[in-house]
């Protein structure tokens, strides 16, 4: 099968909705066999069914895992290797934004610890077991290079700039993901294992919309967006596809920011109409 991920195996966490689901479908469209991992197994199974119906030439399997538990992360990677014989792409995408996450004065320790357990430790374990699996991938005889693989870690625009709506634990966890990804990229570069961070801007996904649960909160975010709209999950999936594919073969240790211009803006234009998403996304 042709495609940018032809004959590759990809594992995606948080694959039951949002960026993870759109990436799973797009990766399969581009020829990858996909392992959809989510704590909500019903959603992951729905995603696998969509892929099986649309793309019969690839295989998609769903499995339940809590990325806040190391054993679950290891089991998901082991399943990918057992089922497909290898792992080429690891997309550590699962994360939480707890509604009780606030500023330094109001955020409780239990919220901080839970956020770090999932958003930071979960990514660490995903990297750890993906690296071990990718080390077992064969050598490309034509190039004399170890095949390695691509690891993508979902961070956030708040990892590089402050959030207008306080979410301290989330912001700190995503900043740590950036730092960890850079270091791992340097350590494993000569093994052919590329590690990059994907930094989404505000997206119209359940994760953010559940957090921005009032019109006031949503407008507080929108006022900072040059495009005047929230991003779509599929737009981030396309960025993830670039990092997963050989199109980014010379890219590692990068913070790939896809935020509608937010992190480049000092102020945004007033009174301008918002840009609609491309017609292909509607």
């Amino acid at each position: 099968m042709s495609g940018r991920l032809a004959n590759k195996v990809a594992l995606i966490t948080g694959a039951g909705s949002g960026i993870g689901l759109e990436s799973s479908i797009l990766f399969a469209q581009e020829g990858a066999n996909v392992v959809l991992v989510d704590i909500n197994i019903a959603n992951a199974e729905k995603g696998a069914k969509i892929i099986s119906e649309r793309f019969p030439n690839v295989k998609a399997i769903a499995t339940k895992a809590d990325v806040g538990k190391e054993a679950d992360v290891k089991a998901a990677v082991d399943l990918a290797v057992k089922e497909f014989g290898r792992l080429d792409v690891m997309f550590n995408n699962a994360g939480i934004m707890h509604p009780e996450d606030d500023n330094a004065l109001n955020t409780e320790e239990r919220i901080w610890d839970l956020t770090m357990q999932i958003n930071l430790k979960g990514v660490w374990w995903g990297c750890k077991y993906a690296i071990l699996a990718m080390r077992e991938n064969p050598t490309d005889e034509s190039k004399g290079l170890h095949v390695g693989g691509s690891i993508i870690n979902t961070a956030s625009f708040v990892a590089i700039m402050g959030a207008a709506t306080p979410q301290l634990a989330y912001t700190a966890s995503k900043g740590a993901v950036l730092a960890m990804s850079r270091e791992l990229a340097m350590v494993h570069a000569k093994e052919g294992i590329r590690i990059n961070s994907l930094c989404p801007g505000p997206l119209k996904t359940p994760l953010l919309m559940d957090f921005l649960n009032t019109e006031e909160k949503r407008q507080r975010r929108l006022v900072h967006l040059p495009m005047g709209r929230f991003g779509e999950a599929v737009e981030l999936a396309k960025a993830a596809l670039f990092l997963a594919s050989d199109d980014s073969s010379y890219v590692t240790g990068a913070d790939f920011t896809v935020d509608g211009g937010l992190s480049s803006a000092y102020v945004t234009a007033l009174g301008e109409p918002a840009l609609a998403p491309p017609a292909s996304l509607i």
Side-chain angles (χ1 to χ4, degrees), residues 76-225:
V77 173
D78 288 346
L79 175 64
V81 174
K82 178 181 178 180
E83 187 71 24
F84 298 111
R86 59 188 293 148
L87 180 64
D88 300 288
V89 179
M90 180 75 176
F91 189 5
N92 292 306
N93 171 67
I96 64 167
M97 183 184 293
H98 200 285
E100 295 178 43
D101 193 359
D102 203 306
N103 57 34
L105 304 181
N106 298 330
T107 301
E108 296 182 14
E109 185 175 6
R110 65 182 178 86
I111 303 301
W112 177 277
D113 290 345
L114 176 63
T115 302
M116 294 299 169
Q117 185 75 14
I118 296 172
N119 290 4
L120 183 55
K121 279 190 174 181
V123 173
W124 164 38
W125 290 324
C127 290
K128 174 182 177 179
Y129 291 107
I131 289 166
L132 290 171
M134 290 173 179
R135 281 178 168 174
E136 300 303 313
N137 288 343
T139 298
D140 184 340
E141 299 295 343
S142 65
K143 299 178 181 177
L145 299 173
H146 182 255
V147 170
S150 173
I151 298 174
I152 308 160
N153 297 327
T154 297
S156 170
F157 77 97
V158 299
I160 56 177
M161 63 188 301
T165 306
Q167 47 185 46
L168 185 65
Y170 181 84
T171 296
S173 71
K174 295 302 186 177
V177 167
L178 287 190
M180 179 172 63
S181 300
R182 294 186 194 114
E183 179 161 325
L184 288 172
M186 300 305 99
V187 171
H188 299 284
K190 290 186 178 179
E191 297 180 77
I193 298 173
R194 299 185 296 106
I195 303 170
N196 295 288
S197 297
L198 184 62
C199 294
L203 302 181
K204 195 165 60 178
T205 62
L207 180 67
L208 183 60
M209 293 301 103
D210 288 347
F211 181 75
L212 302 179
N213 54 10
T214 67
E215 185 61 24
E216 180 182 4
K217 286 183 178 180
R218 289 190 287 272
Q219 290 302 320
R220 188 73 179 90
R221 283 291 173 86
L222 283 171
V223 75
H224 295 285
L225 286 164

